Amino acid sequence: MSKVLVIGCGGVASVVIHKCCQVSEVFTELCIASRTKSKCDKLAAELAPNTATKLTTAQVDADDVRQVIDLINDCKPDLVMNIALPYQDLTIMDACLACGVNYMDTANYEPEDTDDPVWRAIYEKRCKEAGFSAYFDYSWQWAYRKKFEEAGLTALLGCGFDPGVTQAYCAHAQKHEFDTIDTIDILDCNGGDHGYAFATNFNPEVNLREVSAPGSYWEDGRWIEIPPMSIKRAYDFDQVGHKDMYLLHHEEIESLALNIPEVRRIRFFMTFGQSYLDHMRCLENVGMLSTSPVDFEGQQIVPIKFLKALLPDPASLGPRTKGKTNIGCIFTGKKDGKDKNYYIYNVCDHQKCYHEVGSQAISYTTGVPAMCGALMLLTGKWNKPGVYTVEEFDPDPFLAALDQYGLPRSENRTPALVD
């Protein structure tokens, strides 16, 4: 029925492609493209004997708009799934506009070079006006709204788990559980153990930038920013147990504050073990998390890129990782004039993911929602021109697809709240 171009062939993209191949009646043709074509060829060869989906591969530098345009014109897809890096969101959106194709991604734009003077000037202005200093925000992609509307195209932003499913959980709560929502706490718990002294569960550059940045949350119509990892809470997670979690800035807070304006407070917490935090602080203290090039023996080296080369590839963690993830949202608010609390979440098993698609649960919980989001666009369930985040669409068919394809929801109507 549909032809899809997937740009990217890392851990998350591998899950996306596996899951698309399980729904061959919709994903009839799939072109897999990345900078390293051999990775695409290997994955396509592994999947081809067990799927009716027609698989092709291509090489592309997604930083180059012209190359992406040429690839889209050659492939002629119905949808481009950007499962590459958030650095490349804008170039791929530009190419989709030029070619008249719908677009989606799993994380909002951030620059690779945070020292670029043009970007820096816009960033510093936004920090002053908006009140938070994270490198990633939706403003760059929201600026494309009119272009996509006028072109009659849809751009779906951040359709992973968080962001993505967490926003669908919010839309579900708004539609079915509450008359008004007062607070939202998004909790991301990874109870998995990969056995390494230190490794990141997704791209180290993106992961370590996110974790080492100042935290922030939305309260009473404004951002409140705090020093990194300075707000700590403990929570007893279903099927995982007691874990320490820390308040971080996260992109879905920005869109939820806009799209559910009555909410008084929105926070995001993520669990971390002490060993991870100790390693991260040591690396930060010696400059290894810097994105600014340094001169080393006559060559320019970006420290965090060098660190990425030393750390285990997140895509290699699948066979080693045991345990479960638990990600969801706790709400307080009112229904029929009465106070109400509600918790909706998913528990995902690392080893079950590995046995199904050869991946650990972090990639799985991002890749499955991306496939389900594509399913919504391709089957016309989510179909309106413009640039949107997940909570702006009907959550019902999306959550039903998640239930069916590997990420079923759980609910608790008397949850413990986060103080």
Side-chain angles (χ1 to χ4, degrees):
M1 186 179 83
S2 300
K3 186 173 187 179
V4 174
L5 169 61
V6 178
I7 298 179
C9 198
V12 174
S14 175
V15 175
V16 170
I17 294 158
H18 271 86
K19 299 303 286 191
C20 288
C21 288
Q22 293 177 11
V23 194
S24 298
E25 66 274 18
V26 175
F27 299 91
T28 48
E29 294 186 52
L30 211 62
C31 178
I32 311 166
S34 80
R35 197 185 303 265
T36 308
K37 186 175 181 292
S38 58
K39 291 172 64 177
C40 307
D41 294 336
K42 182 175 182 293
L43 181 59
E46 291 171 358
L47 291 171
N50 300 307
T51 181
T53 300
K54 180 183 176 182
L55 298 169
T56 57
T57 64
Q59 191 278 332
V60 69
D61 178 356
D63 292 319
D64 186 329
V65 178
R66 184 70 255 171
Q67 284 194 38
V68 181
I69 289 173
D70 289 344
L71 174 61
I72 294 172
N73 284 335
D74 182 59
C75 180
K76 295 181 173 56
D78 301 295
L79 171 68
V80 173
M81 300 181 72
N82 171 13
I83 319 293
L85 293 172
Y87 312 146
Q88 296 156 337
D89 288 359
L90 303 186
T91 56
I92 299 175
M93 289 180 80
D94 284 333
C96 286
L97 282 169
C99 299
V101 181
N102 291 331
Y103 166 92
M104 67 172 293
D105 62 38
T106 60
N108 68 5
Y109 172 73
E110 62 179 283
E112 184 171 16
D113 179 10
T114 57
D115 292 324
D116 175 72
V118 175
W119 175 85
R120 196 87 202 173
I122 297 170
Y123 163 76
E124 290 174 357
K125 182 174 182 288
R126 190 221 72 201
C127 289
K128 184 177 179 180
E129 292 176 353
F132 67 93
S133 60
Y135 288 149
F136 51 92
D137 75 292
Y138 280 118
S139 65
W140 296 87
Q141 292 177 277
W142 281 344
Y144 282 69
R145 279 173 172 160
K146 187 175 181 182
K147 292 179 181 179
F148 272 81
E149 287 174 3
E150 291 176 346
L153 300 173
T154 302
L156 174 61
L157 308 183
C159 194
F161 206 109
D162 45 337
V165 177
T166 50
Q167 289 150 296
Y169 285 167
C170 292
H172 169 83
Q174 188 180 35
K175 181 177 180 180
H176 297 291
E177 299 291 338
F178 291 90
D179 296 324
T180 57
I181 297 173
D182 186 36
T183 68
I184 303 171
D185 279 331
I186 302 166
L187 310 187
D188 183 326
C189 169
N190 178 19
D193 181 6
H194 47 58
Y196 286 113
F198 184 73
T200 62
N201 290 297
F202 58 95
N203 183 281
E205 289 180 67
V206 178
N207 178 251
L208 291 168
R209 275 193 194 187
E210 179 180 305
V211 174
S212 61
S216 57
Y217 60 99
W218 183 261
E219 187 168 46
D220 296 329
R222 66 187 183 95
W223 288 98
I224 298 175
E225 189 161 87
I226 60 170
M229 315 299 277
S230 61
I231 291 182
K232 173 185 173 182
R233 298 289 187 268
Y235 201 80
D236 186 6
F237 290 91
D238 180 27
Q239 301 183 51
V240 177
H242 288 273
K243 293 289 181 181
D244 290 336
M245 60 184 187
Y246 297 81
L247 189 147
L248 304 181
H249 177 88
H250 223 245
E251 55 253 61
E252 64 261 53
I253 299 175
E254 185 181 7
S255 68
L256 291 170
L258 182 70
N259 292 315
I260 312 179
E262 79 268 15
V263 174
R264 183 179 63 81
R265 188 188 68 205
I266 311 172
R267 301 182 296 184
F268 179 95
F269 291 91
M270 183 176 283
T271 62
F272 296 96
Q274 194 57 51
S275 176
Y276 180 98
L277 296 177
D278 290 343
H279 278 82
M280 187 191 74
R281 285 174 180 136
C282 288
L283 291 166
E284 185 174 26
N285 288 341
V286 298
M288 285 302 296
L289 304 190
S290 172
T291 60
S292 300
V294 297
D295 186 77
F296 177 73
E297 296 183 351
Q299 295 187 48
Q300 291 287 300
I301 295 176
V302 177
I304 198 168
K305 288 184 176 293
F306 179 67
L307 176 63
K308 177 183 177 182
L310 296 177
L311 292 174
D313 181 352
S316 73
L317 299 178
R320 301 176 57 102
T321 307
K322 295 177 173 58
K324 297 178 180 180
T325 64
N326 181 317
I327 313 172
C329 302
I330 299 176
F331 303 89
T332 68
K334 284 187 167 53
K335 180 69 172 179
D336 299 327
K338 297 179 181 179
D339 290 338
K340 178 177 179 177
N341 304 329
Y342 173 69
Y343 185 15
I344 180 171
Y345 60 94
N346 165 264
V347 176
C348 191
D349 186 285
H350 283 285
Q351 282 297 294
K352 287 183 178 178
C353 296
Y354 179 69
H355 290 309
E356 181 191 347
V357 298
S359 164
Q360 35 84 0
I362 303 302
S363 294
Y364 191 90
T365 54
T366 305
V368 173
M371 184 280 285
C372 291
L375 198 63
M376 297 300 101
L377 295 172
L378 294 169
T379 57
K381 293 181 176 66
W382 289 358
N383 183 23
K384 52 184 178 181
V387 176
Y388 300 97
T389 46
V390 170
E391 73 271 24
E392 296 180 88
F393 290 101
D394 181 5
D396 294 353
F398 181 63
L399 294 183
L402 292 171
D403 290 341
Q404 180 179 355
Y405 293 112
L407 295 176
R409 74 195 101 164
S410 296
E411 297 175 304
N412 183 344
R413 299 183 181 280
T414 58
L417 302 181
V418 181
D419 62 19

